């Protein structure tokens, strides 16, 4: 990375060959560096962004000002879940810092509400104006719109969390890829009700719907049902992709609100 950083620093402007716009060299290289930023942090505990490679930072920031690039840019989580079928399986370095992996996967509370703000110095840095200007409210509303506009298909997809793979179904290297998984549609009404509460929480805040959601759970879900519906919410949460499904700010909000919903189900079940 030091050599790459020095090469980028040897030209005028942020690009490998100089000039006012990226060349084919930049375009060919950025997809690999983007994956490296995520995968090295996740599997090896090695940080590239905001770690002293100032010219690499400047180069990536220049790309982040370009809407065409942002239309294809994934977040760390999406990358590390998609990389195995593209590059082969990843291996954790012995003694590598585990904290980064847990943050990428949301295992350290990073997917819990309220979310840490996005910015140039955040865990996953961004300098893109659209992402910086979106704000939490707009991000939540964007997520709610996408969820509601395709509700029937999303509910059916989420019901895979209580379903399973048919005997002999083909496996895939991507950890979350299971296109042959069959949804358990017996949970469709409860999953539909829960996702309506998620959409309302995205619009009005979790405090506006938490009591109503808890009442619905108490009245309609037996203990095992609550666990199954929570699994459906978690299944959907873990498969929100950037930018396929949503831009990063909205994806973070949807994941966090699905995380809230799954936790609410499990808390209510534990309290019975």
């Amino acid at each position: 990375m030091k050599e790459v950083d020095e090469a980028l620093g040897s030209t005028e402007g942020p690009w490998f060959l100089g000039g006012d716009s990226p060349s084919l060299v930049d375009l060919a290289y950025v997809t690999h560096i983007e994956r490296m930023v995520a995968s090295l942090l996740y599997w090896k505990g090695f940080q590239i962004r905001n770690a002293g490679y100032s010219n690499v930072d400047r180069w990536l920031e220049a790309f982040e000002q370009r809407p065409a690039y942002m239309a294809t840019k994934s977040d760390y989580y999406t990358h590390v879940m998609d990389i195995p079928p593209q590059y082969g399986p990843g291996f954790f370095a012995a003694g590598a810092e585990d904290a980064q992996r847990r943050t990428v996967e949301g295992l350290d509370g990073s997917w819990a509400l309220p979310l840490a703000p996005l910015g140039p110095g955040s865990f996953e840095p961004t300098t893109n104006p659209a992402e910086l200007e979106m704000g939490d409210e707009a991000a939540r509303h964007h997520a709610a719109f996408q969820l509601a506009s395709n509700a029937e298909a999303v509910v059916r997809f989420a019901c895979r969390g209580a379903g399973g793979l048919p005997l002999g179904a083909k496996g895939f290297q991507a950890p979350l890829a299971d296109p042959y998984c069959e949804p358990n549609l017996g949970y469709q009404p409860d999953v539909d009700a829960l996702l309506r509460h998620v959409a309302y929480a995205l619009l009005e805040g979790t405090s506006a719907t938490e009591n109503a959601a808890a009442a619905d759970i108490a009245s309609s879900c037996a203990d095992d049902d609550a666990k199954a519906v929570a699994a459906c919410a978690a299944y959907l949460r873990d498969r929100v992709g950037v930018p396929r499904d949503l831009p990063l700010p909205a994806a973070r909000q949807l994941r966090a609100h699905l995380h809230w919903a799954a936790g609410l189900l499990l808390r209510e079940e534990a309290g019975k």
Side-chain angles (χ1 to χ4, degrees), residues 13 19 35 109 181 242:
R35 289 171 173 84
C181 185
V242 176

Side-chain angles (χ1 to χ4, degrees), residues 163-180:
L165 290 169
L167 187 65
K170 179 182 177 181
F172 294 84
Q173 280 187 294
L176 302 179
D178 50 1
Y180 301 117

Side-chain angles (χ1 to χ4, degrees), residues 23-80:
S23 67
L24 287 176
V25 176
D26 299 287
L27 297 175
Y29 212 40
V30 70
T31 58
H32 297 287
I33 294 293
E34 184 187 322
R35 289 171 173 84
M36 288 169 61
V37 169
S39 61
L40 287 173
L41 184 68
Y42 180 78
W43 276 293
K44 308 301 182 185
F46 182 82
Q47 188 169 339
I48 294 177
R49 295 292 298 265
N50 295 333
Y53 303 110
S54 58
N55 297 308
V56 173
D57 284 335
R58 182 180 64 156
W59 181 65
L60 290 170
E61 289 166 8
F63 267 113
E64 288 175 352
Q65 310 312 303
R66 307 180 76 87
Y69 171 72
M70 294 304 297
T72 67
K73 181 179 182 287
S74 292
D75 70 332
Y76 290 176
Y77 178 77
T78 303
H79 271 315
V80 299

Side-chain angles (χ1 to χ4, degrees), residues 118-181:
L118 274 176
S122 57
F123 174 78
E124 185 158 355
T126 181
T127 60
N128 175 256
E131 291 188 344
L132 294 175
E133 294 167 8
M134 181 175 281
D136 285 350
E137 183 178 34
R140 292 197 310 269
H141 290 184
H142 189 158
F145 176 80
Q146 290 296 95
L147 178 60
S149 64
N150 200 25
E152 184 176 351
V154 173
V155 169
R156 185 180 178 89
F157 179 80
C159 286
R160 289 181 175 188
L165 290 169
L167 187 65
K170 179 182 177 181
F172 294 84
Q173 280 187 294
L176 302 179
D178 50 1
Y180 301 117
C181 185

Side-chain angles (χ1 to χ4, degrees), residues 140 144 147-148 194-204:
R140 292 197 310 269
L147 178 60
L194 183 68
L195 293 186
R196 289 172 187 266
H197 286 296
V198 169
Y200 191 77
L202 284 162
L203 293 172
E204 301 294 341

